[in-house]
């Protein structure tokens, strides 16, 4: 069983045991997480990071499409990442989407600019 499934299984067993488990919230956009959860290293492992935070798959892809590992390491935390101009338009766009929403995330020719999929 993978790390994510172990974390989710532990939360489910706490619920069955009567423990109160707060719903998971995406560390980037602040929306409730759905069935799919990915774990992001705010400081990349290659740069010495060890902690992880839960994020939506689309948010995780937006982070890595917009910023390099060196840029992520320089920012250091999720609050600074959420305030980064490269992700601001993405966060406004994704704010009203459901938890399990998915859309293609395209990397810009030069990082620092995320290309949004066309509106439908």
């Amino acid at each position: 069983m993978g790390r994510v499934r172990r974390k989710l299984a532990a939360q489910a067993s706490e619920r069955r045991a009567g423990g109160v488990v707060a719903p998971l919230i995406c560390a980037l956009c602040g929306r409730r997480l759905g069935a799919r959860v990915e774990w992001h290293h705010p400081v990349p492992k290659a740069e010495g990071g060890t902690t992880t935070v839960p994020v939506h798959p689309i948010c995780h892809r937006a982070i890595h499409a917009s910023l390099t590992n060196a840029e992520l390491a320089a920012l250091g935390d999720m609050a600074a990442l959420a305030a980064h101009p490269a992700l601001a338009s993405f966060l406004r766009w994704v704010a009203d989407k459901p938890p399990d929403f998915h859309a293609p995330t395209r990397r810009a020719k030069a990082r620092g600019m995320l290309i949004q999929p066309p509106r439908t």
Side-chain angles (χ1 to χ4, degrees), residues 49-116:
T50 57
T51 60
T52 58
V53 294
V55 292
H56 294 103
I58 193 170
C59 293
H60 201 197
R61 281 158 187 71
I63 291 167
H64 290 288
S66 300
L67 302 166
T68 64
N69 279 353
E71 291 169 326
L72 288 172
L75 290 172
D77 68 353
M78 294 305 288
L81 184 59
H84 195 279
L87 291 170
S89 65
F90 168 77
L91 291 173
R92 283 190 303 274
W93 175 76
V94 81
D96 62 348
K97 305 293 186 268
D100 286 320
F101 177 78
H102 175 74
T105 303
R106 293 178 282 159
R107 190 179 304 253
K109 288 184 181 179
R111 285 201 183 185
M113 186 173 105
L114 184 66
I115 300 173
Q116 291 300 324

